[in-house]
């Protein structure tokens, strides 16, 4: 009888497999925190053009001249992308699964890397921030549901805190890296490091998917066939 209680998922705590899946998925959330604050510290270096607005290094301008309003739009454009990603992720995660969204949000994130690293004006930089925001917003909106669905009741409360922890880890990493990269052309590499996090996340083997999501997708397809 005791052995049956131990094997019952209701009484099961955090397993190594659950912990691995949650930590692997949380890399996308670290990226969310990174992009949230990475723009803050080097902002003056990017916009004030201390070496002159026409100064360039390796063919790229060493700064991006911008007014306070334009720079504010560049900073806030990430949140606009987050909103788009958070709205879109529900449909995609219900149709294809949480794992699909968490993994493929990194593909969208990688699309923003060339734009961030090679930006020559504010419109280009804003577009890059929006694309990055869509990727991280979709991952952030899916992560909590993923954790709830793959964990046992006893593990759920403990592992739910990984979301906030991962966001703060990303923010701290961004601030620490910014300390040594707040000069041209290093600030371009600072923004491009989001691609490194995307690649790490894509290579982390998130293998667990919630069975009910798979079954719900099957039932949805069958119901459509019946209604036709």
């Amino acid at each position: 009888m005791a052995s049956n209680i131990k094997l019952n998922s209701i009484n099961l705590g955090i397993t190594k497999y659950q912990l691995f899946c949650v930590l692997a998925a949380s890399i996308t959330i670290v990226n969310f925190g990174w992009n949230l604050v990475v723009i803050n510290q080097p902002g003056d270096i990017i916009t004030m053009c201390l070496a002159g607005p026409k100064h360039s290094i390796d063919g790229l301008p060493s700064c991006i001249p911008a007014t306070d309003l334009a720079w504010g739009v560049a900073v806030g454009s990430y949140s606009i992308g987050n909103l788009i990603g958070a709205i879109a992720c529900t449909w995609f995660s219900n149709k294809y699964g949480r794992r699909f969204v968490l993994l493929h949000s990194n593909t969208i994130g990688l699309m923003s890397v060339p734009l961030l690293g090679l930006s020559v004006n504010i419109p280009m930089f804003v577009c890059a921030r929006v694309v990055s925001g869509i990727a991280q917003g979709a991952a952030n909106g899916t992560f909590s549901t993923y954790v709830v669905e793959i964990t046992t009741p006893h593990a759920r409360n403990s592992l739910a805190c990984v979301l906030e922890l991962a966001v703060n880890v990303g923010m701290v990493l961004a601030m620490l890296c910014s300390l040594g990269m707040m000069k041209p052309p290093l600030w371009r590499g600072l923004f491009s490091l989001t691609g490194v996090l995307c690649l790490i996340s894509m290579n982390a083997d998130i293998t667990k998917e919630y069975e009910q999501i798979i079954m719900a997708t099957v039932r949805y397809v069958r119901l459509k066939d019946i209604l036709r």
Side-chain angles (χ1 to χ4, degrees), residues 117-131:
L118 303 175
S119 292
V120 297
N121 51 47
I122 286 297
M124 187 175 178
F125 192 74
V126 167
C127 289
R129 293 277 291 171
V130 170
V131 173

Side-chain angles (χ1 to χ4, degrees), residues 88-105:
C89 74
T90 302
W91 185 86
F92 282 99
S93 63
N94 286 340
K95 185 172 179 61
Y96 299 107
R98 322 302 184 200
R99 179 178 179 271
F100 176 90
V101 175
L102 289 171
L103 287 176
H104 290 277
S105 64

Side-chain angles (χ1 to χ4, degrees), residues 9-23:
S9 63
I10 296 177
N11 301 303
L12 194 64
I14 300 174
T15 65
K16 292 180 181 179
Y17 188 54
Q18 286 178 8
L19 182 61
F20 168 76
C21 290
V22 171
L23 292 179

Side-chain angles (χ1 to χ4, degrees), residues 149-194:
E149 289 177 344
I150 69 164
T151 53
T152 57
H154 282 190
R156 197 163 295 149
N157 291 335
S158 300
L159 293 178
C161 70
V162 173
L163 172 65
E164 189 64 30
L165 178 63
V167 171
N168 283 279
V169 168
M171 293 169 67
V172 171
L173 285 176
M175 289 187 288
L176 291 176
C177 291
S178 296
L179 295 176
M181 302 181 73
M182 288 195 300
K183 58 182 179 180
L186 295 182
W187 61 263
R188 293 184 180 276
L190 185 65
F191 291 118
S192 299
L193 284 175
T194 184

